[in-house]
Each structure stands twice: as C-alpha cells, then as structure tokens.
C-alpha cells in the first residue's frame, strides 16, 4: 500500500518551529523564550536536532545582529516530548568586542533536556585554509530522494522520513534504512538542503544546519557493523553534539555532508562530519557521540 503524503508543509513547520516567542518579555537571570514541539512527529521522542536549532536561535536573539554563531557544544540530558512546547533560558555569559558567549538550557516540565554553550563572533579576517572536498561525488540531482525510496511504505516512520522532513536528503551510494549493502565501512556521504527557500538571516541558516546535522550523523557507526535503522530492538540516542561554522552558508542550496566514525565502544559511537557547498567550500564541522544498544547476535562484523 502506498503511503499518502501529508497535508502539512514541512518548510512551514520548520520555520514555525524556529520562530520562538519571547514569552511576553519574561526574564529572570536569564532571557526566556518559548518554542513549539513537533506534534506531527512519528515518535513521541522529540528530535534532538530540533532542540539544538531552537537553542541556537534563542541564544542568537540575545546578541548583536552582526554576531554570527561560530561554535556550540551541547549535551542531551533527557529525552524530549515531541507533543509539548519548550522553554529556553539564555544566560549572557560574556560580551566582548568581537565575541559573545551564551549558555542555553532547553526545558520541558521544569527540567532541562539540553544544556548548550554557544559562541558568537563579529565577522573578521585572518589566515585561511581548509580540507578538500572529496572527489568523484555524484551530483545530488542524480540520486534518489527519500520519498522515492520510502514513499511506498505504509508505516508512520517511513512516511515521516519520506514526506515530513523539511530537508531533502540523498545518500551517496546505498542508504541504511533497511539493510547495509556492500562493504561495512565507517564512513558515508549525503547531500542535503531544505525543501524550500529560507529567510536571509545567516544565524537562522546556521541553526537550520544544526537541525539537519542530527539526521544521519550516527550512521557511519551503524554502517561499520552492518546495522540498519530497521534492525529489531535497536536503541540509538544522541548524547552530545558539537558544531563549528567556518564560513557563510546557504542551507537552502545543496551541501555535501561527509561523515566518519573513528571509534565505537561501550555502547557509544563517535561520529565526525564536514559540510561542503557545491563549490567545495568547507562551511561547517560537527561531532557527536551517540548511545547505541544493539541486540545480541545482530552485529555483522
């Protein structure tokens, strides 16, 4: 049976999620903002990338407009509830001539679910170098979409991944939705961009990239051991997330997301990723460790 595309517009949902309220100007020793959950999520657990993006937006609302987020380090403390709103408390740690630092806590039910520190910088000039974009990568237009791969499956998660994500995500080579074809390697690449245009605010583009960075980053650890997302009994959750934005970017144009896993041990996998635009410019780097509990007998080393 074919899954029916939803009536909701994923881009409209993304922009609504990133448009935080200032809670009527409420303030304690923190600046307070309120954001939406995701009532359309296929699972009760809130997507971690959403909380990251909203926390960055909240922090950005407290700095000068010419300050752009250049790094963040966050810990996921508790699972979030997708159906419930979130409260964000931003503490102004430092404002210097070039850099500003902010600490954001995301709350649900009066307890923090994410703790993040982000640094913002006024654009500056200096030395320049970067890693080189991998060669021989096929163009995104030649690769199948998630809707083409998953759209015929009548399952809520498949339907959500096919039609309800605000990002077009296309794996270079085989995906790991159902199985792991070919050699079990600890690296992969995907192309991604938003389904529609974004506002011009550069901090919003960077927050949206943080949102998308959480979709596939743990996959190299799973791929290395022949584990797909549909493995029965698999339990995977993000533990922490760090990100560095190097250069201006447009998340509504194609970005190549190259990721690898240097280590997995003690039910944790470490994964590192780099984002290149189509001109080969390295725009961001990301790192994440995830909890991975795999049923015995399913690992195919």
């Amino acid at each position: 049976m074919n899954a029916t595309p939803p009536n909701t517009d994923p881009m409209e949902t993304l922009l609504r999620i990133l448009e935080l309220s200032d809670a009527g100007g409420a303030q304690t020793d923190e600046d307070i903002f309120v954001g939406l959950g995701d009532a359309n999520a296929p699972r009760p657990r809130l997507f971690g990338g959403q909380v990251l993006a909203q926390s960055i937006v909240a922090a950005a609302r407290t700095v000068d407009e010419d300050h752009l987020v250049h790094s963040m380090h966050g810990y996921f403390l508790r699972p979030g509830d997708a159906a419930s709103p979130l409260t964000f408390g931003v503490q102004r740690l430092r404002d210097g001539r070039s850099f500003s630092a902010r600490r954001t806590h995301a709350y649900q039910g009066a307890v923090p679910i994410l703790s993040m520190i982000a640094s913002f910088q006024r654009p500056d000039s200096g030395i320049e170098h970067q890693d080189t974009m991998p060669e021989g990568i096929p163009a995104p237009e030649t690769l199948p979409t998630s809707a083409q791969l998953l759209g015929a499956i009548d399952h809520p998660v498949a339907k959500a991944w096919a039609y309800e994500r605000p990002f077009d995500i296309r794996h270079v080579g085989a995906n790991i939705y159902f199985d792991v074809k070919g050699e079990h390697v600890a690296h992969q690449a995907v192309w991604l961009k938003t389904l529609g245009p974004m506002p011009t605010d550069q901090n919003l583009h960077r927050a949206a990239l943080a949102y998308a960075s959480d979709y596939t980053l743990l996959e190299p650890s799973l791929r290395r051991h022949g584990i797909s997302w549909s493995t029965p009994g698999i339990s995977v959750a993000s533990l922490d997330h760090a990100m560095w934005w190097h250069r201006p970017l447009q998340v509504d144009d194609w970005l190549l997301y190259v990721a690898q896993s240097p280590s997995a041990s003690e039910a944790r996998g470490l994964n590192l990723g780099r984002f290149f635009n189509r001109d080969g410019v390295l725009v961001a780097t990301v790192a994440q460790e995830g909890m991975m509990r795999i049923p015995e007998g399913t690992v195919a080393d």
Side-chain angles (χ1 to χ4, degrees):
M1 175 184 289
N2 288 342
T4 303
N7 295 323
T8 57
D9 179 353
M11 278 302 299
E12 181 181 327
T13 300
L14 174 65
L15 294 175
R16 187 169 64 250
I17 283 171
L18 296 181
E19 181 60 40
L20 306 183
S21 161
D22 66 359
Q27 190 170 11
T28 56
D29 59 339
E30 301 176 325
D31 294 89
I32 306 298
F33 302 92
V34 176
L36 298 175
D38 185 0
N40 297 319
R43 295 172 174 169
R45 178 177 289 187
L46 187 65
F47 175 52
Q50 173 181 332
V51 189
L52 288 171
Q54 290 174 308
S55 296
I56 292 166
V57 170
R61 295 272 291 271
T62 70
V63 300
D64 292 341
E65 289 185 1
D66 64 346
H67 279 57
L68 301 178
V69 63
H70 72 87
S71 69
M72 61 78 59
H73 301 259
Y75 282 89
F76 296 98
L77 304 176
R78 295 174 177 85
D81 176 15
S84 301
L86 300 94
T87 300
F88 300 90
V90 180
Q91 184 179 7
R92 304 185 182 213
L93 299 179
R94 179 181 183 271
D95 284 304
R97 287 183 297 177
S98 298
F99 292 88
S100 294
R102 297 292 186 265
R103 191 268 305 163
T104 304
H105 279 169
Y107 299 94
Q108 279 187 329
V111 295
I113 64 171
L114 175 82
S115 180
M116 181 196 80
I117 291 181
S119 182
F120 295 77
Q121 182 189 15
R122 180 179 292 113
D124 205 347
S125 60
I127 60 173
E128 287 270 349
H129 73 269
Q130 67 159 74
D131 281 351
T132 303
M133 181 176 174
E135 297 181 352
I137 301 293
E141 294 85 359
T142 68
L143 303 173
T145 68
S146 298
Q148 291 170 328
L149 294 171
L150 302 171
I153 301 172
D154 191 20
H155 186 279
V157 174
K159 179 179 177 181
W161 288 9
Y163 297 118
E164 297 175 15
R165 286 176 166 179
F167 287 84
D168 188 346
I169 300 173
R170 307 188 185 193
H171 282 78
V172 176
N175 60 73
I176 65 166
Y177 295 135
F178 306 109
D179 53 21
V180 182
K181 294 182 174 67
E183 186 180 0
H184 295 169
V185 295
H187 58 82
Q188 69 172 25
V190 301
W191 287 102
L192 59 79
K193 70 178 184 69
T194 56
L195 293 176
M198 290 281 292
T200 58
D201 182 355
Q202 180 62 198
N203 272 327
L204 202 62
H205 280 257
R206 297 184 182 204
L209 188 61
Y211 186 111
S213 69
D214 195 34
Y215 278 134
T216 62
L217 186 52
L218 296 182
E219 290 189 350
S221 288
L222 299 175
R223 185 182 293 274
R224 168 62 180 80
H225 297 277
I227 302 163
S228 73
W229 287 115
S230 59
T231 299
I234 185 176
S235 178
V236 177
S238 303
L239 296 174
D240 61 5
H241 202 99
M243 196 161 183
W244 300 262
W245 293 264
H246 311 304
R247 297 168 180 87
L249 62 95
Q250 298 299 126
V251 79
D252 48 9
D253 198 1
W254 288 111
L255 297 169
L256 181 68
Y257 191 9
V258 181
Q260 64 173 329
S261 176
S263 177
S265 63
E266 303 198 16
R268 304 187 317 274
L270 176 64
N271 295 263
L272 312 175
R274 295 171 295 162
F275 289 94
F276 297 88
N277 67 20
R278 294 193 73 161
D279 294 327
V281 176
L282 179 65
V283 298
T285 300
V286 62
Q288 184 181 89
E289 190 171 45
M291 182 275 293
M292 298 178 172
R293 293 200 171 101
I294 313 300
E296 292 186 12
T298 61
V299 175
D301 282 320

